[in-house]
Amino acid sequence: MSAISAKRKRAIALLSLTSIILITLDLQGSASTSVLRGTFGVFFRPIEGVARVITRPVSNAWHGITHYNAVTQENDLLREKIAQQEGAAVAAAASVRLSQELLALNGLPTLAGINSVSAQVIGDSPSNFSQSVEINQGSESGVKVGMPVMNAAGLVGKITKVFPRRSIVMLITDPEYALSVKVINNPEAASPINDPEASATTTSSTSTTTTIPKPQPTSNIPGFTPGTTTLPLTTINVPISIPSLAPTLTVPNNGALPIRETGILEGRGPSRVPIVRFIDSAQRFGTILPGAPIVTSGGSLSLAPPDIVVGTVSKVTDRLGTAGPILEINLVADLANLSFVRILLYQPITEQVKP
Amino acid sequence: MSIRFIRFISSRWTRLVLVASVLMGFQTTLFNDMRPFGVMAQVMVLFAACAGVVYGAEIGAVAGLIIGLMYDCVLTTPLGLASLVLGATAFIAGAFPYFVRDSTWWNKAIAVAVASAVGEILFPIAQALVGLGGWVQWRIFVVALVVAIINLILAPILIPVVRWTLKETLVG
């Protein structure tokens, strides 16, 4: 009996040691653990497939019982929203088209110019302490670790593990997720500042004509093909305000343009909304108001291209000193109901493999 | 050769791998979809806890480590983490036979529920220990409570399955 017990104790010690070694290897990013997972997946997928077929009626019945009221309410709301947004969508599409043409004209990356792969969500993480989903596209479709994943609404997450025909997507709400984002704020309109020392003078306004030659679009981003929009030499009337001893000092009216400020988005688990943390507060930026849109900032080090919609500010919490505020955000993508996603085949310039 | 093969096939550990594969299939499909109060039922934790309660700390721990290693292959957490957690859960559950000599089905179910709750709390703590912070929140107690209640209900069904799976020999 004691011999059996000693044997079992050895087995426990051996298995524990194996687990610790595997944890160490996996945290170091060893390829052997990915091979092990992939091999296990080959054997396990058929079992999972059969289990899915068998359990689908039970699962459907469960959803029918628990979500029926919510689904009918959601349907009503969605019908109303569709009616509201049909008109706005046409105008928005025109604006987006115009914006993309302008960006392409200046050789700047646009989402429309980045190749993408559509994928279906085939499973959630079977754990209460992980925010990830599994999709049915992998390295055979060109998917690589780090690529941003979005749905029709906005950013969903990023690829963290890639297998030949499937990938794991870490959702924005995972505490391990962090991304550089920018807040587009609409500051208050510029107001004239009274200058008591100024004498009675006037402000005159004139206009000048500038000819802009067509720029050559260029980009170093793989997968991005600048648009082929061609425009003739353009004549633009630029109004110029010349202050000439005016009684009031006119602040340049750049307040009409939205100002952008960069921060770090961090996930906080499924029960708490993600936050955006600023390094310091900038006076120029003004007060951030709830509802301000948040988009990815892009850049040579960011894994996501610029201007993917992430969400809107829901709450602003100020911090002491020069530390910037913490923003709680409402995500535009509904992470609880993901069916189809799009993987942007985007890699930042710093990750580009040179031939 | 054939006797060895039959012994290998009929060993409790081979049966464990096969039964755990089927259970894991249910875990990643049915229980993944059904989330009462937003919490997923943890059948693998339940199996480990049942193994500990029925067969004691040693066999329970070995079973927990093996099924944990299988579970690790479908999780996104580092490989080996669930193995350690399920091994520890089964080991904790294995303390039950030392305290209760003449156990009944319902006090076994309670022991399984308590061990499951402990296992579910251990998971985010283990994640934090390997540097995956952010999961140690008050929510883990809600998760542990819901998992404990679900496992309390499912334990009477799974205990006979575990008893059959880990039986030393199927003959006699």
Side-chain angles (χ1 to χ4, degrees), chain A residues 4-6 8-9 11-13 15-24 26-27 32-33 36-37 40-41 44-45 47-49 51-52 54-56 58-59 62-63 67 123-132 134 160-161 166 168 173-176 268-272, chain B residues 12-13 20-22 24-30 32-36 38-42 57-59 61-63 65-66 69-81 83-84 91 120-121 123-124 127 130-137 139-140 143-144 147 168:
Chain A
I4 293 169
S5 183
R8 279 183 199 143
K9 276 174 185 161
I12 292 169
L15 284 164
S16 305
L17 205 61
T18 308
S19 300
I20 292 164
I21 290 167
L22 284 170
I23 291 171
T24 314
D26 206 4
L27 287 173
S32 57
T33 56
L36 188 63
R37 278 198 167 108
F40 184 83
F44 181 63
R45 294 298 149 200
I47 297 170
E48 193 184 39
R52 196 180 296 280
I54 294 168
T55 61
R56 187 166 289 153
V58 182
S59 186
W62 169 264
H63 285 304
H67 296 142
D124 294 337
S125 169
S127 165
N128 288 309
F129 304 106
S130 175
Q131 283 282 286
S132 58
E134 191 177 341
T160 51
K161 279 193 173 68
R166 61 193 179 91
I168 305 292
T173 46
D174 194 292
E176 289 291 303
R268 297 195 299 166
S271 56
R272 295 194 287 176
Chain B
R12 55 163 61 143
W13 307 120
S21 299
V22 175
M24 210 157 72
F26 288 118
Q27 175 71 66
T28 56
T29 54
L30 179 69
N32 208 354
D33 290 340
M34 292 167 60
R35 296 189 183 216
V39 175
M40 189 192 307
Q42 288 291 333
E58 286 179 2
I59 291 178
V62 175
L65 285 161
I66 291 170
L69 208 55
M70 293 168 67
Y71 195 28
D72 268 320
C73 291
V74 297
L75 292 177
T76 53
T77 47
L79 203 71
L81 199 72
S83 175
L84 285 178
F91 195 83
E120 205 57 13
I121 291 169
F123 209 89
Q127 276 181 289
V130 297
L132 304 173
W135 286 107
V136 182
Q137 305 167 357
R139 180 178 170 268
I140 63 173
V143 171
V147 168
E168 196 158 13

Side-chain angles (χ1 to χ4, degrees), chain A residues 67-98:
Chain A
H67 296 142
Y68 179 78
N69 289 335
V71 168
T72 49
Q73 280 176 4
E74 196 181 10
N75 272 345
D76 293 341
L77 270 173
L78 287 173
R79 279 196 196 98
E80 198 180 320
K81 267 191 177 178
I82 287 169
Q84 283 173 0
Q85 289 185 349
E86 263 175 358
V90 177
S95 299
V96 168
R97 173 93 183 156
L98 190 66

